[in-house]
Amino acid sequence: MASKKNDTETKEKVSKTKKTAEKKETAKKTSSKKVSASTKKNTVKKEADIVSEVKEEVIETKPEVSEKTELLQVPDSVVKDALKQVNKAAKKQARQEFLSKVVEELIAFLFLVIIICLVIFGVGYWYKNYYVEREDQVEAQEQEKLNSEYRIVSYSSPTGNISVLNDNYVIDYNKDNSKVTKILDRELNTLFEGELEVTKVIPSTDGTIYAYLDEDAESENLVTLYKLVDGEFEKIKEIGTLGYYFSPIVYTTNGNNSYLLGFYGEENSDATDSVIYNLNGDKSELHGYSLVGDYNRSSSDAEIRTRNKNYIVAKSLSSKRYGLYNLNDNQLTFEALYDELHCTFDDNFVAKKDNYTGILNIKSKKVVDFQYDFIDIQKGYYVVSKDNKLAIMDSDFKLLTGFDFDYQTNNYYKAYSYTKANSFVSYKINDMYLLVTNNNEKSGSYNKHTAYLIKNSGAYTEIVETYIEYDKDSNFLYSYDDNTDVYTIYEIDNENILNSYEISLNGYILNNVTISKYNDEIVRINNDIYINFKTNEEVEGLTYTKDYSFDTYKVSLDYENAKGLIYTGDVITSTYKCNSKDNYVVREDNTFYIILENDYISIEKIS
């Protein structure tokens, strides 16, 4: 009985020991936050340790057993059951920890994705609503600044009969061009709107706008003069005398602007009397003289034009010599003592006497001696000739060069003319003068043309070729050698030829070659061939354009796409339709306007 009781107690103790071991093992496993790969490798060792521990506890729990009682052996089946339970609990715990780790990492990943999405959204929102808006604001501010310096104005004509007067007034006419319907200033403020039958609208030198109607009769004409006052044209005078033809007296500047000075009438016969009306309608009589001006007249009632707004050349009907008439006080300033007399663009006058030419001032004092064959009048300088040689003289009458340049005539250019084209042309390019001799030839008698690029010091560079051409608008100089069919393009600055480049057209079949500047590296041949003259290679894919560059803006004309682009700095500020027939004008104040088929566009500098 005692033995059975002991066995029962022993089993209970073993069971308690087993449970205690399971609790310890469970505590060890739950206290570990991470299950490593070494757990499985150490399972056998742990099982041996657990068996040993169980046996020790069994021995320790038998103090009441007699020393004579034999040590109770724990059955292996009990130990194996205990190990199975331990392993099962360990695997379950490992699965739970693995799943817990996966869930934690998935949550962390999703949280990271959400953070990234929020950051991307925030950056996009900031860029769209703050950065771009700020960039647009900066661009708008820059454009506003540019627009504060330059303004683009435009006007569209309802009839298409539009013109610009003296670069400052826009004139709109009716469909048959017989009546003026609207006048605007260059800022497009309306000065007149209505209908008035006119021959011409023209301002005076003080800015007052006049209009006149010229009506022909059998042996005379009648001129009705109007003046624009407070938006309406007022009739000033009907100018007409039986047997007289009247012509407007017009002051013409070097920029070809015209200003009305009055009207001149002479009898339609050999009579020696003539009359002059000023713009107030006051009449003066001129006896023994006729007004001739500085340019040839095409007919007896055509404009009489002068280069000086106060004086005009008059011809003595008896001596056939020339003097100077003062339009302000209606009397002769110079007596008719000169074989030729011509106004310059200031108060000096080129006069010829006894086959020699000099220059007089307004007091009839010689400022240049009568020693030259002729003196060609330009704005700011003169070309003078002596013994068929040419030299450059500045506005202070100082010779900048010797008489180093040939002057030739031919059957077409028999002698120098003050009113017609001549065999040479000249230009002032910044601080340099360009003189091209044997230019504009008609008969083909010259086999060479010569260009001289002349510095203020008098030093010059010479170019001799079959043909030489200069485009003032684009500052483009080139020459052509018909023996080699080679064109030479010259890069020039204020005083020098920087480089020259040769291009050959031998591989092209071309007739009547025309060449123009496309940009600083490319020339355009006959409207459809583009060649880089620095590399002598053809460039594909370009369109016909022409650029006008100014201090702070540029006008680029794309003819092939019928588009004009106006740049202020690097920003396109306006576009419009254009074609090669449009009239493009650069004003003397370096502003620009365009007359399109029906439109006027102007780029104005705001003061």
Side-chain angles (χ1 to χ4, degrees), residues 180-411:
V180 59
T181 58
K182 198 167 188 176
I183 300 176
L184 307 100
D185 64 16
R186 60 192 288 173
E187 296 180 353
L188 299 186
N189 299 308
T190 300
L191 306 178
F192 167 79
E193 190 166 12
E195 279 194 355
L196 179 69
E197 186 177 0
V198 297
T199 301
K200 189 170 186 177
V201 177
I202 183 170
S204 65
T205 54
D206 66 1
T208 302
I209 297 178
Y210 291 86
Y212 64 87
L213 176 64
D214 187 350
E215 298 175 286
D216 282 335
E218 184 175 347
S219 60
E220 64 268 347
N221 67 337
L222 176 67
V223 176
T224 305
L225 178 64
Y226 299 91
K227 178 181 179 179
L228 185 62
V229 179
D230 296 330
E232 298 292 336
F233 275 106
E234 296 181 357
K235 183 187 290 187
I236 301 299
K237 184 79 174 179
E238 286 186 349
I239 301 171
T241 302
L242 185 63
Y244 278 71
Y245 269 102
F246 285 88
S247 303
I249 304 170
V250 175
Y251 162 53
T252 304
T253 68
N254 187 57
N256 295 320
N257 288 335
S258 298
Y259 302 89
L260 185 64
L261 301 177
F263 289 87
Y264 169 73
E266 58 187 5
E267 285 187 273
N268 190 22
S269 66
D270 294 331
T272 59
D273 294 334
S274 55
V275 293
I276 300 170
Y277 284 91
N278 65 20
L279 295 179
N280 293 322
D282 301 326
K283 177 182 177 181
S284 300
E285 295 183 354
L286 183 62
H287 302 287
Y289 284 85
S290 65
L291 301 185
V292 295
D294 294 308
Y295 303 89
N296 285 345
R297 298 171 67 193
S298 59
S299 63
S300 60
D301 61 347
E303 292 179 350
I304 302 174
R305 294 179 293 161
T306 175
R307 294 190 187 97
N308 193 294
K309 64 182 179 180
N310 299 309
Y311 303 94
I312 190 168
V313 175
K315 181 180 181 180
S316 169
L317 298 177
S318 58
S319 69
K320 308 300 181 184
R321 291 192 172 188
Y322 298 88
L324 192 67
Y325 185 82
N326 188 322
L327 291 167
N328 297 319
D329 59 17
N330 298 308
Q331 62 182 6
L332 287 172
T333 301
F334 295 173
E335 293 294 330
L337 303 175
Y338 305 101
D339 301 325
E340 290 186 39
L341 187 66
H342 306 278
C343 297
T344 67
F345 294 104
D346 50 29
D347 285 340
N348 294 305
F349 307 89
V350 171
K352 187 174 185 178
K353 189 175 183 180
D354 300 328
N355 293 323
Y356 290 101
T357 306
I359 298 179
L360 308 172
N361 65 17
I362 194 62
K363 297 180 179 180
S364 192
K365 178 182 178 180
K366 288 187 296 184
V367 292
V368 174
D369 288 337
F370 288 83
Q371 57 178 312
Y372 299 114
D373 299 332
F374 62 81
I375 299 176
D376 184 64
I377 301 167
Q378 298 295 328
K379 188 175 182 180
Y381 70 100
Y382 304 89
V383 180
V384 297
S385 174
K386 182 184 286 187
D387 299 328
N388 290 324
K389 294 286 187 176
L390 301 174
I392 302 294
M393 183 169 67
D394 66 16
S395 58
D396 295 324
F397 316 118
K398 175 186 175 182
L399 287 175
L400 300 179
T401 69
F403 288 87
D404 300 329
F405 318 116
D406 291 331
Y407 169 68
Q408 293 178 297
T409 60
N410 60 13
N411 291 332

Side-chain angles (χ1 to χ4, degrees), residues 34 45 65 86 113 145 155 182 213 223 252 258 282 303 319 368 376 409-410 427 431 505 513 524 543 550 590:
K34 187 175 183 181
K45 182 179 179 181
V65 180
V86 170
V113 169
K145 182 179 178 182
Y155 169 73
K182 198 167 188 176
L213 176 64
V223 176
T252 304
S258 298
D282 301 326
E303 292 179 350
S319 69
V368 174
D376 184 64
T409 60
N410 60 13
Y427 307 91
D431 297 325
L505 302 179
V513 173
R524 177 171 169 264
T543 58
F550 305 96
N590 206 31

Side-chain angles (χ1 to χ4, degrees), residues 20-40:
T20 300
E22 287 179 355
K23 288 180 181 180
K24 287 183 179 182
E25 184 63 23
T26 302
K28 286 181 182 181
K29 290 183 181 293
T30 54
S31 65
S32 175
K33 295 182 179 180
K34 187 175 183 181
V35 179
S36 64
S38 62
T39 302
K40 293 182 179 181

